[in-house]
Each structure stands twice: as C-alpha cells, then as structure tokens.
Amino acid sequence: MPADHPLLDDQPPFADHLGLRILSARPDRVEGEMRVSPHLINRNGTLHGGAVMGMADHLGGLGAFMNIASSESTATVESKTNFFRAIPAGDLLHGVAVLLHGGRQTMVWQTTLTRSDGKMAAMVTQTQIVLRDPKF
C-alpha cells in the first residue's frame, strides 16, 4: 500500500484512543505502533492487556478489511492472546499482523507485539469472518 493511502491516516476513533499509528498496510501484512500512554496502563503501571488485545485486533481487522469487497464487512469471531512480558508505561509497542489463512468465509491473522527492547510481549491469533450482508 502506498505511504499516502487513505487507510493509513483514516482510522476509527478506537484506534485514535489507543494512539495507534499504522506504519504500513498490505493485504497480507499490517504494521503499527502504539505509545504506552498513562490512560492505557493498569494498576501495575504496565500496559493493560485489553489495550494489547485491542491493538492486535485492530491490525488484524484492518488487514481483513483490505481483503474484502466494498459491499462486505468483517468481524472478529475468535481471538487468542499469549502474554509473554509486561510492557512498561512510556514504551513504544510495535505490532506486525500477518495473514495465515485467507479463505472465502474466514481469515486468520497472527499479530506479534514487540517492546522497544526487541523482546516479544504478546502473540495474538484471531479469526475474522467475512460478512456479505453487513446489515447485522
């Protein structure tokens, strides 16, 4: 996807709330980053697990969206997260979502989330369903 593609800057409010910035997006790979800001930390002073999952879900969902027709929609129907390390406040979390399976009805995306020290913090695998009648 060209660096000036509208999808790179036109993200929904939830992504803006997270502070998620899309770095690149192709139909088989989406990359983004998110600063761990004070409104996203948990009681331990580290990034809330829900924010980690939200980032991964958004990256995989964006990738799925890039693979469907304009008359279709997509939704997450399954998501599994493995947490490996805490992500400290102020850190810059980097995420790469790759397409593992691109079927007619479902897509499976795997997102690797890495801290700024290069250590993997989490791995998320999600299944997206293709909705051919998006009037749900």
Side-chain angles (χ1 to χ4, degrees), residues 36-99:
V36 181
S37 59
H39 71 280
L40 298 177
I41 61 172
N42 60 24
R43 295 176 196 266
N44 300 321
T46 60
L47 184 62
H48 191 285
V52 172
M53 295 169 73
M55 178 182 179
D57 185 68
H58 185 76
L59 295 177
L62 175 58
F65 184 78
M66 294 177 65
N67 284 283
I68 60 174
S70 61
S71 62
E72 298 173 330
S73 186
T74 182
T76 305
V77 294
E78 184 272 338
S79 184
K80 181 201 183 302
T81 305
N82 287 102
F83 295 99
F84 301 113
R85 291 178 177 80
I87 305 148
D91 203 359
L92 184 65
L93 186 62
H94 183 258
V96 176
V98 294
L99 179 63

Side-chain angles (χ1 to χ4, degrees), residues 110-122:
Q110 185 173 61
T111 305
T112 303
L113 298 147
T114 309
R115 303 184 319 184
S116 60
D117 64 4
K119 294 182 179 179
M120 186 180 359

